[in-house]
Amino acid sequence: MGPKLTDFLGDWDLLRQIVQGDGTTARFVGQARFHPQDGALHYREAGHLHLPGLSAMQAERCYLWREAAGRICVDHADGRPFHDFDPANPQASHWCDPDDYRVTYDFGDWPRWQARWRVRGPRKDYTMVSHYHPAQGALPPALTGVPRDI
């Protein structure tokens, strides 16, 4: 049994590592927030992306998480389906021609959790691991306008 959708409500510190097939590594440091929106949870992350040899840059993205038939569905911010998973067996895949995206969520140390993506395609070859834990610090500026009253 994994977490319910409402268990994600609130603010999360987020650390992500992206390892390219050639070994080049980037990282993202920021926070994510899940807040209620029309019976679902709006997910927004914001922080800094650190790429080798470049100055850190501001980065953010949004998704919509919802429950359907005992599964957690993750949609793009514009409502297009992305992937869905059973919290008791949290794995999913997404085909975005010509690229194959596969994710495994790990909720074994809740409320610390992670998402591990493996992405392959003609021009893509990377593993991305995102580590989440309940927020401890101040929110990045891009998240300060998102409601906190959850």
Side-chain angles (χ1 to χ4, degrees):
M1 179 120 176
K4 300 180 305 288
L5 183 65
T6 55
D7 293 334
F8 293 96
L9 275 170
D11 299 330
W12 300 86
D13 287 332
L14 170 56
L15 176 61
R16 175 176 297 135
Q17 185 173 36
I18 306 160
V19 180
Q20 299 292 333
D22 67 3
T24 304
T25 301
R27 65 186 174 90
F28 173 88
V29 178
Q31 286 193 317
R33 173 175 287 167
F34 288 87
H35 73 274
Q37 178 179 313
D38 302 325
L41 293 182
H42 181 268
Y43 169 94
R44 183 174 180 188
E45 67 180 45
H48 290 94
L49 179 62
H50 302 266
L51 300 169
L54 299 174
S55 297
M57 62 186 79
Q58 186 76 18
E60 61 181 71
R61 65 181 174 180
C62 298
Y63 294 104
L64 190 63
W65 287 43
R66 58 186 173 79
E67 271 183 320
R71 299 181 70 80
I72 294 179
C73 303
V74 181
D75 297 333
H76 293 283
D78 63 7
R80 289 176 298 124
F82 183 30
H83 67 279
D84 64 87
F85 62 91
D86 176 349
N89 182 22
Q91 300 178 35
S93 62
H94 173 76
W95 177 255
C96 185
D97 197 18
D99 303 315
D100 182 39
Y101 292 74
R102 297 185 183 268
V103 64
T104 301
Y105 292 94
D106 181 352
F107 303 120
D109 190 24
W110 190 264
R112 294 176 177 274
W113 57 284
Q114 70 177 6
R116 176 181 294 275
W117 285 92
R118 181 66 179 111
V119 180
R120 291 187 176 127
R123 292 184 306 265
K124 294 183 180 176
D125 179 17
Y126 65 88
T127 300
M128 180 172 70
V129 181
S130 301
H131 299 271
Y132 296 83
H133 63 274
Q136 302 295 313
L139 291 172
L143 286 178
T144 55
V146 178
R148 279 192 152 226
D149 54 338
I150 304 173

